[in-house]
Amino acid sequence: MPRRFAGQVHKQASRFLRANLLKEEPAWYQAVLENPPLPLPPRAPASRTRFDLSPAASTSSDPTIASSISRRPFTINYVEDKLRRQFFHDHPFEAFRPVSLIESAKIQDEHPIQGKQWERLRQHGRNPTPEDAIRYAVNLHEHHGKSLTYAYAAAVAQFRSLRSEREVTIATAKLEADVIGIEFGRTQVERVFGLEEKAFDTWARRGPTDASALAARKRWKAIVEKNYATGTWSGGKDYVRLWQEGVRPSYLPVLDKPVLTAVGRDTAPDAAAKQAVAKAAVDKMLTPRGRAAVLKIDFMALNTNTHPPSFP
C-alpha cells in the first residue's frame, strides 16, 4: 500500500468521492475541510537572494537546486557582520569602551546624511563609534560602488584619524588647564577608590569598638575568694553535723570593725520615725541574738572584701 500521511486524509477522501469509491461523505469530512490540519514542512527551503547567502552557496548557478540537497537552512550572513568581526579583531580595546544602554522615550532618528551624501566619516561627528565606522564602510560599498577591502580600509583610516585628533585635543586642553591653574575634580575611578578606603577605615575602627563593647558587657563579674580549707571532701557530713549542733551559716560580709550607724546621730525632725522604721525592719528579719549586732552596723560603709561576720 502507498504511504499515507495524517494531514492528507481529507485529500484522499476527496479523491475517493470523485471516483465514486465512497458513496457518502464521512461524518468528519466537512469539519476537516473547515479546519484543515497544518501543512507539512517543505522538503527544501525557499530560494534565497545572493545578498544573505554564504559565499560558497552564492557561487553556485542555481541556489534553489543546491538548497534542495540539504534539509538544513542556510545561515544568514550580512556584510556588517564580516566588517564588524574584522574591525574588533584589529581594534580589540574598542570593546572595553563604556557604552550607555539606557533607552530614551522614543527611537533615535537616523542621521540626515545617508547614502550618496555620506562621503566622509566626519559628517556624522568628530567622535565616531565603532558602529559608525562599520556603517560608513557598508555605505561606501553599497552606494559608492567601492569594494569591501577599499571601503573597510578607508573607514578605519578616517576612524583612527578622528580618534587621534580627539586624544591630542584633550591632552592639549589638560596642559593648558595646568598652566592656567585650573584644578579638576576627582574622576569616577578616584571616587570609587575613596569609597573603598572609607569602607576599610570603618572595618579598622570596628575592632576597638567591638572590644570596648565586649568589655562593657563584662563590666560586672563575680570575684570568688578561694579561702577554702585544704583536705578531703566529707560528702556533706560536716554540714549535717554543724546543722545538728545548731550552728547556722551566715553569708553577710564581714566588717573590719563595728561601725555605729548614723541613725543615732541623725538630728533631722523625722529622725525618730526613721529609727522606728529601721527597728521594725530589723525585728522582722533577724533573731533576737543578731538584732543587737545589726543595729551597730552601718550597711552603707560595708567592706565586701572581707569574710562574712559571725553573729554572737
Side-chain angles (χ1 to χ4, degrees):
M1 295 180 63
R3 184 179 179 183
R4 304 299 180 188
F5 297 97
Q8 297 179 356
V9 175
H10 62 291
K11 297 181 180 180
Q12 186 68 20
S14 300
R15 290 191 290 266
F16 286 165
L17 289 172
R18 288 195 300 268
N20 294 325
L21 296 178
L22 289 177
K23 302 301 181 182
E24 296 181 359
E25 295 181 357
W28 49 265
Y29 183 71
Q30 294 296 332
V32 174
L33 289 181
E34 294 177 359
N35 302 280
L38 296 176
L40 294 176
R43 295 181 60 83
S47 60
R48 303 271 291 276
T49 61
R50 297 181 181 275
F51 180 74
D52 57 355
L53 285 177
S54 59
S58 61
T59 55
S60 62
S61 59
D62 192 354
T64 305
I65 298 176
S67 62
S68 63
I69 300 174
S70 177
R71 299 294 182 266
R72 296 182 179 179
F74 290 112
T75 57
I76 300 176
N77 298 291
Y78 294 100
V79 181
E80 291 87 344
D81 297 336
K82 184 177 180 180
L83 294 176
R84 187 178 293 106
R85 191 180 302 110
Q86 184 65 34
F87 181 87
F88 284 104
H89 178 77
D90 297 337
H91 309 82
F93 289 99
E94 290 295 329
F96 293 97
R97 290 186 180 272
V99 179
S100 177
L101 301 179
I102 300 177
E103 297 181 357
S104 58
K106 62 179 181 179
I107 300 177
Q108 187 178 2
D109 298 333
E110 287 287 341
H111 200 277
I113 301 176
Q114 298 290 339
K116 293 185 177 181
Q117 298 178 358
W118 194 9
E119 298 179 353
R120 303 289 296 177
L121 181 60
R122 191 190 184 108
Q123 292 176 288
H124 278 209
R126 302 180 63 178
N127 185 24
T129 62
E131 290 298 324
D132 293 336
I134 295 170
R135 291 177 183 176
Y136 175 68
V138 174
N139 186 79
L140 290 179
H141 175 67
E142 293 180 353
H143 297 280
H144 294 273
K146 305 296 182 180
S147 63
L148 283 179
T149 304
Y150 177 85
Y152 176 76
V156 168
Q158 297 183 33
F159 175 81
R160 293 174 179 175
S161 299
L162 292 176
R163 276 294 174 85
S164 61
E165 179 182 347
R166 176 179 174 80
E167 291 180 358
V168 170
T169 303
I170 293 176
T172 304
K174 288 184 178 179
L175 292 176
E176 292 178 354
D178 292 339
V179 171
I180 296 174
I182 298 177
E183 296 182 359
F184 297 95
R186 297 191 303 171
T187 62
Q188 185 64 27
V189 177
E190 294 174 349
R191 294 193 188 96
V192 172
F193 284 157
L195 293 176
E196 290 182 355
E197 293 295 336
K198 187 176 181 180
F200 292 154
D201 293 341
T202 57
W203 293 349
R205 292 194 300 268
R206 187 177 299 175
T209 304
D210 295 344
S212 60
L214 183 61
R217 287 196 298 269
K218 294 184 177 180
R219 183 176 179 180
W220 305 102
K221 58 182 179 179
I223 300 177
V224 182
E225 298 179 358
K226 299 181 180 180
N227 296 327
Y228 309 116
T230 59
T232 59
W233 183 53
S234 62
K237 295 180 180 180
D238 295 340
Y239 181 84
V240 175
R241 179 179 56 80
L242 294 174
W243 171 69
Q244 291 177 353
E245 293 178 0
V247 179
R248 299 181 59 186
S250 177
Y251 302 101
L252 291 178
V254 72
L255 298 175
D256 294 339
K257 59 181 179 179
V259 180
L260 295 178
T261 60
V263 176
R265 298 190 299 271
D266 198 347
T267 58
D270 56 347
K274 292 182 180 179
Q275 291 179 0
V277 172
K279 186 175 182 301
V282 172
D283 291 340
K284 291 181 180 179
M285 292 187 297
L286 302 176
T287 60
R289 296 181 60 188
R291 187 182 304 116
V294 173
L295 289 176
K296 298 179 182 180
I297 299 174
D298 187 358
F299 290 97
M300 300 301 295
L302 294 180
N303 187 1
T304 58
N305 296 327
T306 56
H307 298 284
S310 59
F311 294 108

